Amino acid sequence: KIRHSRYLLSTLYVCLHDGWLTSSSFPRPFSALAFHSHNSPVVNSASSWQSIAPGTLLSDFSPRSFIHESIEPRRQSNSRLYEQSTQTQLSPSDREETSSSSSSSSSSSSFAKHALLFSSLTDGIVPNPSARSFLRHSLLTLLLQERVAEREQGLKTSVEFSPCNGPDIEALTDLETVDDLLTRGRDMAESEDFFDNLKEASNSLEMEHWSRETINHLLSNSQSIDVRILYIPTAMYALNPQSGNTPGKQRQRARADGKKRRAQLLQLLEELMFPTDGTEDEDFYGSDGNRKWNLLSVTLDLDDGSLKQHVGGYGDESLLFPEDDNAALTTWKPHIIYVEGGNTFWLQYCIEKGNYGSLIKNACITKNINDDDFASIYMGKSAGAIVAGRAVATATWKGWDDPSIVPGKGTYEDWIDSRGLEMLGDCSFFPHMSDDWVELVEEKKKNVLNRIDNDDDEEIKVICLREEDVCCVGGGRKRYFSIQSGPIPLP
């Protein structure tokens, strides 16, 4: 309520800006709203109003005098949120220029705001209640952020269009409810024992209750809700030089396989958002009988920047899907960026070739704990997890991926110093871990020192991911935890 009272004040300021409103002639709607929020420190009737004599024109007073100091940082943050939706798109050459500055400005302390790194979707996340809860919580948080931004913009427009009538009461009420849900969700995520609580049955039920409440409110106050998923299967599109099939046949099979894997992701999201116990409410459906949740998915190949396999569209698809690869990672603001597994070296090569590194990092990395900027959820599977880390060299340890497909970097030695996206501080990832690789990992950690920073005193930090492991990243407090799949015992 403290934060949203500025809309009441903006109503007053718009009226007084032209000099025709005095302190003794407030419009009735504004007077009622101001009285309703009289406990807010923004509308401080004990100080601000008493200093203005009745009948005095208010146009001489600065609008900043009516803004409580606790509001300004949040307002600036919201301004950045709106600016992000209209940011200039970059060509590959422009991205190359900005990539170096972005890389130099982002230190080893960079953290994705929400991320899940894993070896297998079907073995790691699908059967893992804790990982599923983390993913759903992260996604609902983004949807609540969008709703707040949407309502704030709507209230601002209504105040500017009709200042004497004040803000839309229904929109203001919805905004307060959404803000309350967002605050409660953040309180859970920012608690010191959040990650531990995900594993506890009682706390998982609390998370479930919050999730259901959030979903029901969003649906009951919306015509439809679009969840945008950007699927990047580039790693699995890498050609195999030893294959007996033609390159065209390999690509055809890879695209078909990628389509099936993406369907598995969409099925998971369907299960997270739609109750499977027969408790669907009528609010889940629109007037046309269709469900309000709309999963918008598009496939981006970083090799050539092409966008294909659009799913979930309705009406004018040009308004629902990005027009090119730049927009897909910027103005489209995907809720989820899913980077598929496959040949790590080909994936990293395509990221560098197209200068996509800075775009992916800017889409996913949070600036600070209290930052309200929109940040996509990064989901990296196998190769997608490796490139999200600091050192790509972990892909050379098992010898599974063939680097010879990459021009000019056809040996493992060529990749020892390669730097990944660094979206988990100075941590690197070693997926598909098993007992067979324990000695190898220890040897490599000792022999492959942190050559990226020329620091011979520090070993690289490696997070080993077994098939059932999921590393969940909460970038707001720069924390992460690994969990294994398996049911949470109910009380």
Side-chain angles (χ1 to χ4, degrees), residues 130 193-207 488-491:
S130 298
D193 52 357
F194 171 64
F195 291 150
D196 291 332
N197 288 343
L198 283 176
K199 305 176 185 179
E200 298 294 333
S202 59
N203 290 296
S204 65
L205 291 177
E206 178 185 359
M207 178 79 74
I488 297 178
L490 296 176

mmCIF file of all heavy atoms in Angstrom, residues 130 193-207 488-491:
data_model
loop_
_atom_site.group_PDB
_atom_site.id
_atom_site.type_symbol
_atom_site.label_atom_id
_atom_site.label_comp_id
_atom_site.label_asym_id
_atom_site.label_seq_id
_atom_site.Cartn_x
_atom_site.Cartn_y
_atom_site.Cartn_z
ATOM 1 N N SER A 130 10.867 -31.219 -5.299
ATOM 2 C CA SER A 130 11.535 -29.986 -4.864
ATOM 3 C C SER A 130 11.930 -29.126 -6.057
ATOM 4 O O SER A 130 11.735 -27.905 -6.051
ATOM 5 C CB SER A 130 12.777 -30.330 -4.032
ATOM 6 O OG SER A 130 12.422 -31.027 -2.867
ATOM 7 N N ASP A 193 16.409 -20.312 5.050
ATOM 8 C CA ASP A 193 16.217 -21.760 4.938
ATOM 9 C C ASP A 193 15.277 -22.139 3.794
ATOM 10 O O ASP A 193 14.648 -23.182 3.824
ATOM 11 C CB ASP A 193 15.673 -22.318 6.256
ATOM 12 C CG ASP A 193 14.430 -21.579 6.746
ATOM 13 O OD1 ASP A 193 14.024 -20.602 6.086
ATOM 14 O OD2 ASP A 193 13.883 -21.977 7.790
ATOM 15 N N PHE A 194 15.186 -21.280 2.772
ATOM 16 C CA PHE A 194 14.271 -21.539 1.660
ATOM 17 C C PHE A 194 14.574 -22.861 0.973
ATOM 18 O O PHE A 194 13.690 -23.693 0.755
ATOM 19 C CB PHE A 194 14.341 -20.389 0.653
ATOM 20 C CG PHE A 194 13.602 -20.662 -0.638
ATOM 21 C CD1 PHE A 194 12.227 -20.839 -0.650
ATOM 22 C CD2 PHE A 194 14.282 -20.732 -1.843
ATOM 23 C CE1 PHE A 194 11.542 -21.077 -1.833
ATOM 24 C CE2 PHE A 194 13.609 -20.963 -3.029
ATOM 25 C CZ PHE A 194 12.240 -21.134 -3.025
ATOM 26 N N PHE A 195 15.830 -23.078 0.623
ATOM 27 C CA PHE A 195 16.191 -24.292 -0.095
ATOM 28 C C PHE A 195 15.986 -25.538 0.756
ATOM 29 O O PHE A 195 15.567 -26.579 0.267
ATOM 30 C CB PHE A 195 17.640 -24.209 -0.580
ATOM 31 C CG PHE A 195 17.833 -23.188 -1.670
ATOM 32 C CD1 PHE A 195 19.042 -22.526 -1.817
ATOM 33 C CD2 PHE A 195 16.812 -22.881 -2.552
ATOM 34 C CE1 PHE A 195 19.221 -21.592 -2.821
ATOM 35 C CE2 PHE A 195 16.981 -21.946 -3.553
ATOM 36 C CZ PHE A 195 18.194 -21.300 -3.690
ATOM 37 N N ASP A 196 16.264 -25.408 2.049
ATOM 38 C CA ASP A 196 16.013 -26.546 2.936
ATOM 39 C C ASP A 196 14.517 -26.809 3.058
ATOM 40 O O ASP A 196 14.078 -27.960 3.142
ATOM 41 C CB ASP A 196 16.605 -26.285 4.321
ATOM 42 C CG ASP A 196 18.129 -26.278 4.304
ATOM 43 O OD1 ASP A 196 18.701 -26.968 3.432
ATOM 44 O OD2 ASP A 196 18.736 -25.598 5.144
ATOM 45 N N ASN A 197 13.736 -25.735 3.079
ATOM 46 C CA ASN A 197 12.289 -25.887 3.225
ATOM 47 C C ASN A 197 11.654 -26.613 2.040
ATOM 48 O O ASN A 197 10.619 -27.262 2.183
ATOM 49 C CB ASN A 197 11.618 -24.523 3.388
ATOM 50 C CG ASN A 197 11.903 -23.903 4.746
ATOM 51 O OD1 ASN A 197 12.321 -24.594 5.677
ATOM 52 N ND2 ASN A 197 11.689 -22.613 4.860
ATOM 53 N N LEU A 198 12.267 -26.495 0.856
ATOM 54 C CA LEU A 198 11.718 -27.172 -0.305
ATOM 55 C C LEU A 198 11.717 -28.685 -0.124
ATOM 56 O O LEU A 198 10.928 -29.402 -0.739
ATOM 57 C CB LEU A 198 12.527 -26.814 -1.560
ATOM 58 C CG LEU A 198 12.282 -25.438 -2.174
ATOM 59 C CD1 LEU A 198 13.235 -25.206 -3.331
ATOM 60 C CD2 LEU A 198 10.846 -25.299 -2.650
ATOM 61 N N LYS A 199 12.607 -29.162 0.739
ATOM 62 C CA LYS A 199 12.721 -30.603 0.941
ATOM 63 C C LYS A 199 11.830 -31.093 2.072
ATOM 64 O O LYS A 199 11.678 -32.300 2.257
ATOM 65 C CB LYS A 199 14.179 -30.971 1.248
ATOM 66 C CG LYS A 199 15.158 -30.487 0.186
ATOM 67 C CD LYS A 199 16.596 -30.779 0.580
ATOM 68 C CE LYS A 199 17.582 -30.193 -0.413
ATOM 69 N NZ LYS A 199 18.988 -30.454 -0.035
ATOM 70 N N GLU A 200 11.269 -30.147 2.831
ATOM 71 C CA GLU A 200 10.430 -30.531 3.954
ATOM 72 C C GLU A 200 8.967 -30.600 3.530
ATOM 73 O O GLU A 200 8.472 -29.728 2.827
ATOM 74 C CB GLU A 200 10.586 -29.515 5.100
ATOM 75 C CG GLU A 200 12.002 -29.434 5.658
ATOM 76 C CD GLU A 200 12.420 -30.708 6.350
ATOM 77 O OE1 GLU A 200 11.526 -31.430 6.845
ATOM 78 O OE2 GLU A 200 13.629 -30.994 6.388
ATOM 79 N N ALA A 201 8.283 -31.649 3.986
ATOM 80 C CA ALA A 201 6.898 -31.860 3.562
ATOM 81 C C ALA A 201 5.991 -30.711 3.969
ATOM 82 O O ALA A 201 5.192 -30.210 3.178
ATOM 83 C CB ALA A 201 6.378 -33.168 4.159
ATOM 84 N N SER A 202 6.107 -30.243 5.222
ATOM 85 C CA SER A 202 5.209 -29.192 5.707
ATOM 86 C C SER A 202 5.411 -27.899 4.937
ATOM 87 O O SER A 202 4.451 -27.221 4.564
ATOM 88 C CB SER A 202 5.437 -28.955 7.206
ATOM 89 O OG SER A 202 6.784 -28.577 7.454
ATOM 90 N N ASN A 203 6.663 -27.541 4.676
ATOM 91 C CA ASN A 203 6.940 -26.299 3.957
ATOM 92 C C ASN A 203 6.595 -26.420 2.482
ATOM 93 O O ASN A 203 6.263 -25.429 1.828
ATOM 94 C CB ASN A 203 8.408 -25.912 4.136
ATOM 95 C CG ASN A 203 8.727 -25.462 5.548
ATOM 96 O OD1 ASN A 203 8.226 -24.463 6.018
ATOM 97 N ND2 ASN A 203 9.546 -26.237 6.238
ATOM 98 N N SER A 204 6.720 -27.632 1.928
ATOM 99 C CA SER A 204 6.320 -27.811 0.542
ATOM 100 C C SER A 204 4.813 -27.614 0.398
ATOM 101 O O SER A 204 4.327 -27.142 -0.627
ATOM 102 C CB SER A 204 6.723 -29.196 0.046
ATOM 103 O OG SER A 204 6.024 -30.205 0.736
ATOM 104 N N LEU A 205 4.061 -27.958 1.430
ATOM 105 C CA LEU A 205 2.616 -27.729 1.406
ATOM 106 C C LEU A 205 2.308 -26.235 1.477
ATOM 107 O O LEU A 205 1.352 -25.759 0.851
ATOM 108 C CB LEU A 205 1.952 -28.469 2.564
ATOM 109 C CG LEU A 205 1.959 -30.005 2.478
ATOM 110 C CD1 LEU A 205 1.331 -30.603 3.721
ATOM 111 C CD2 LEU A 205 1.227 -30.470 1.228
ATOM 112 N N GLU A 206 3.107 -25.485 2.225
ATOM 113 C CA GLU A 206 2.934 -24.032 2.275
ATOM 114 C C GLU A 206 3.203 -23.424 0.900
ATOM 115 O O GLU A 206 2.479 -22.546 0.438
ATOM 116 C CB GLU A 206 3.883 -23.429 3.312
ATOM 117 C CG GLU A 206 3.800 -21.909 3.395
ATOM 118 C CD GLU A 206 4.836 -21.315 4.334
ATOM 119 O OE1 GLU A 206 5.608 -22.104 4.929
ATOM 120 O OE2 GLU A 206 4.870 -20.087 4.464
ATOM 121 N N MET A 207 4.242 -23.918 0.239
ATOM 122 C CA MET A 207 4.553 -23.448 -1.107
ATOM 123 C C MET A 207 3.432 -23.811 -2.072
ATOM 124 O O MET A 207 3.049 -23.018 -2.942
ATOM 125 C CB MET A 207 5.866 -24.077 -1.582
ATOM 126 C CG MET A 207 6.275 -23.700 -2.980
ATOM 127 S SD MET A 207 7.016 -22.069 -3.084
ATOM 128 C CE MET A 207 8.614 -22.434 -2.350
ATOM 129 N N ILE A 488 8.972 -36.467 -1.905
ATOM 130 C CA ILE A 488 9.029 -35.918 -0.557
ATOM 131 C C ILE A 488 7.990 -36.652 0.295
ATOM 132 O O ILE A 488 6.818 -36.709 -0.073
ATOM 133 C CB ILE A 488 8.727 -34.414 -0.565
ATOM 134 C CG1 ILE A 488 9.792 -33.672 -1.369
ATOM 135 C CG2 ILE A 488 8.661 -33.865 0.845
ATOM 136 C CD1 ILE A 488 9.538 -32.196 -1.461
ATOM 137 N N PRO A 489 8.383 -37.256 1.411
ATOM 138 C CA PRO A 489 7.400 -37.987 2.236
ATOM 139 C C PRO A 489 6.361 -37.037 2.797
ATOM 140 O O PRO A 489 6.676 -35.988 3.349
ATOM 141 C CB PRO A 489 8.262 -38.586 3.355
ATOM 142 C CG PRO A 489 9.479 -37.713 3.413
ATOM 143 C CD PRO A 489 9.713 -37.266 2.011
ATOM 144 N N LEU A 490 5.116 -37.385 2.642
ATOM 145 C CA LEU A 490 4.028 -36.557 3.149
ATOM 146 C C LEU A 490 3.785 -36.884 4.630
ATOM 147 O O LEU A 490 4.020 -38.005 5.070
ATOM 148 C CB LEU A 490 2.747 -36.811 2.361
ATOM 149 C CG LEU A 490 2.819 -36.412 0.866
ATOM 150 C CD1 LEU A 490 1.515 -36.796 0.176
ATOM 151 C CD2 LEU A 490 3.080 -34.929 0.725
ATOM 152 N N PRO A 491 3.316 -35.912 5.429
ATOM 153 C CA PRO A 491 3.098 -36.148 6.864
ATOM 154 C C PRO A 491 1.911 -37.092 7.083
ATOM 155 O O PRO A 491 1.029 -37.184 6.246
ATOM 156 C CB PRO A 491 2.792 -34.745 7.387
ATOM 157 C CG PRO A 491 2.260 -33.998 6.209
ATOM 158 C CD PRO A 491 3.003 -34.542 5.021
#
